[in-house]
Amino acid sequence: MNPIDQPAAVRRGEELDTVALGEYLREVVPDIGADVTIEQFPGGYSNLTYLLRIGQRELVLRRAPHGANIAGGHDMSREFRVISGLQGHFDRAPAPLHYCEDATVIGAPFYLMERLCGVILRGGKPPAGVAPDPEVMRGLSQSFVTSLAELHAIDPQQASLGDLGKPAGYIVRQVSGWIARYEKAATEVIPDMDATGRWLSDNQPTESGASLIHNDYKYDNLVLDPADLTKIIGVLDWEMTTIGDPLMDLGSSLAYWAQPDDPAPLRQFGLTWLPGNFSRAEVVSAYSDASGRSVDDALFYYRYGCYKLAVILQQIYARYAAGHTADKRFAGLIEIVKICAQLAQRDVI
């Protein structure tokens, strides 16, 4: 079995105009002469990701989902700018090719990048042909933390990304911003969400500093070397990258880091529950060692991550409930929102 992440048929309602796209690409991308065939990567809940085959060449196209109307989200120009700036500074960023701001081509702005061929640990079980043992998962856990610390060590000015965000007051803005987004997207009353929002507002720590932060760093956004699953060869989904407190980025990752004793629905975010993986507490300790930063308020960052993840899933569920997408995977997201809210009420990470 081929373990490399593979596309599938395009989902109903998310098709692209192959003719219009092919005509556009022949004008802007060198050496494209053949017809374009299109498939879709089935993973992910946010931006839509397609594989374009043009002769022997494979490109990846990213565009915002249908019906998205979220301030600051799904910005393809931002994502393209980030991976462009990271070239030469972070060797796991995909190589960018072209950004199209003309929404008339396929119905939304999009960008193209070279395909990274590797293994992605998405979903609730390993890909076919992959059986990672505890030693491999232990090594991947360390690589996960090391790569995040390396990203946080990059000088944004040297990467031409110094104006990407406003680091001062980052924690305050994030907490108030995610509360506002939740209130806008809520489809029912969830008391644990309301309680967590109040707690985050009342218990904000002093900011630890500022760095480039990914904001969606988790196993299923990593491309792994098929010959060595402990080696990360690519990091995907840079749409929410900004400059802010790196410990908030760590908190976002902790929310995705499901442990064996967590509710089963959380296992879809990347196999961190398999034997050998770090616990969340070990992730915090390893990150502190790798980055040189103390993480004294780990519970705040974890609760923030859980709340933020719940809001993201609530926004996606709201699009589904409004009929903007027919993707049946979204129907049960409201239950995971509630689980994240329950976890955010725990007193330990």
Side-chain angles (χ1 to χ4, degrees):
M1 299 292 289
N2 183 3
I4 292 175
D5 193 52
Q6 298 293 337
V10 177
R11 288 189 290 265
R12 181 174 61 87
E14 297 178 352
E15 299 86 357
L16 303 180
D17 186 331
T18 305
V19 174
L21 180 59
E23 291 176 352
Y24 176 82
L25 294 181
R26 281 187 280 274
E27 293 179 1
V28 300
V29 180
D31 305 322
I32 287 184
D35 291 337
V36 178
T37 61
I38 303 174
E39 294 177 285
Q40 187 175 26
F41 288 99
Y45 289 116
S46 185
N47 292 324
L48 306 180
T49 307
Y50 301 85
L51 179 66
L52 312 183
R53 288 193 172 96
I54 309 165
Q56 298 300 309
R57 193 173 186 185
E58 294 184 334
L59 309 178
V60 172
L61 181 151
R62 294 260 293 166
R63 60 149 288 172
H66 298 278
N69 185 24
I70 301 169
H74 311 296
D75 187 342
M76 295 297 94
S77 65
R78 184 185 189 89
E79 187 165 341
F80 184 79
R81 182 191 170 197
V82 168
I83 64 173
S84 297
L86 287 173
Q87 301 304 301
H89 300 279
F90 189 73
D91 63 5
R92 278 136 284 172
L97 294 175
H98 177 75
Y99 171 68
C100 174
E101 65 180 359
D102 184 357
T104 65
V105 178
I106 63 168
F110 67 91
Y111 78 88
L112 301 171
M113 63 184 182
E114 292 286 1
R115 183 187 184 187
L116 288 171
C117 288
V119 175
I120 299 180
L121 301 182
R122 60 163 56 101
K125 61 182 180 180
V130 174
D133 59 33
E135 183 177 357
V136 168
M137 298 312 299
R138 193 76 177 174
L140 177 57
S141 293
Q142 184 61 61
S143 296
F144 175 93
V145 172
T146 301
S147 182
L148 183 62
E150 289 174 355
L151 172 64
H152 291 167
I154 294 171
D155 184 340
Q157 298 293 339
Q158 291 187 0
S160 300
L161 296 171
D163 61 346
L164 195 65
K166 299 177 180 179
Y170 182 79
I171 294 178
V172 173
R173 289 198 310 276
Q174 288 301 298
V175 170
S176 62
W178 286 108
I179 290 173
R181 293 181 192 103
Y182 175 68
E183 291 174 349
K184 183 177 180 180
T187 51
E188 62 182 89
V189 175
I190 303 176
D192 284 340
M193 286 295 289
D194 298 333
T196 301
R198 291 191 297 270
W199 187 91
L200 292 172
S201 296
D202 294 340
N203 292 274
Q204 297 174 35
T206 302
E207 293 188 2
S208 71
S211 71
L212 282 174
I213 58 178
H214 184 278
N215 262 327
D216 200 24
Y217 186 79
K218 58 186 189 292
Y219 268 6
D220 65 358
N221 275 337
L222 306 182
V223 184
L224 309 181
D225 185 342
D228 180 1
L229 296 181
T230 69
K231 182 179 179 182
I232 300 168
I233 62 173
V235 178
L236 306 176
D237 292 8
W238 296 86
E239 66 166 304
M240 294 191 290
T241 301
T242 189
I243 298 175
D245 190 324
L247 298 187
M248 297 287 271
D249 206 14
L250 175 64
S252 297
S253 295
L254 291 174
Y256 285 111
W257 197 274
Q259 298 183 154
D261 58 343
D262 286 334
L266 293 184
R267 294 184 176 186
Q268 64 184 283
F269 294 121
L271 305 183
T272 57
W273 50 272
L274 287 178
N277 278 289
F278 287 172
S279 66
R280 283 190 289 264
E282 287 175 316
V283 170
V284 171
S285 178
Y287 175 83
S288 182
D289 291 341
S291 67
R293 295 184 176 90
S294 61
V295 191
D296 296 329
D297 295 292
L299 182 60
F300 174 88
Y301 302 115
Y302 174 61
R303 285 181 169 178
Y304 161 77
C306 290
Y307 186 86
K308 173 185 167 184
L309 175 56
V311 177
I312 292 171
L313 297 177
Q314 178 66 54
Q315 290 174 323
I316 298 169
Y317 177 76
R319 289 207 316 270
Y320 174 82
H324 293 305
T325 176
D327 192 334
K328 297 299 184 183
R329 296 177 303 156
F330 299 165
L333 289 184
I334 190 63
E335 298 308 317
I336 307 180
V337 171
K338 296 174 183 178
I339 289 172
C340 290
Q342 291 168 4
L343 292 178
Q345 292 293 296
R346 287 181 175 179
D347 291 329
V348 295
I349 65 169

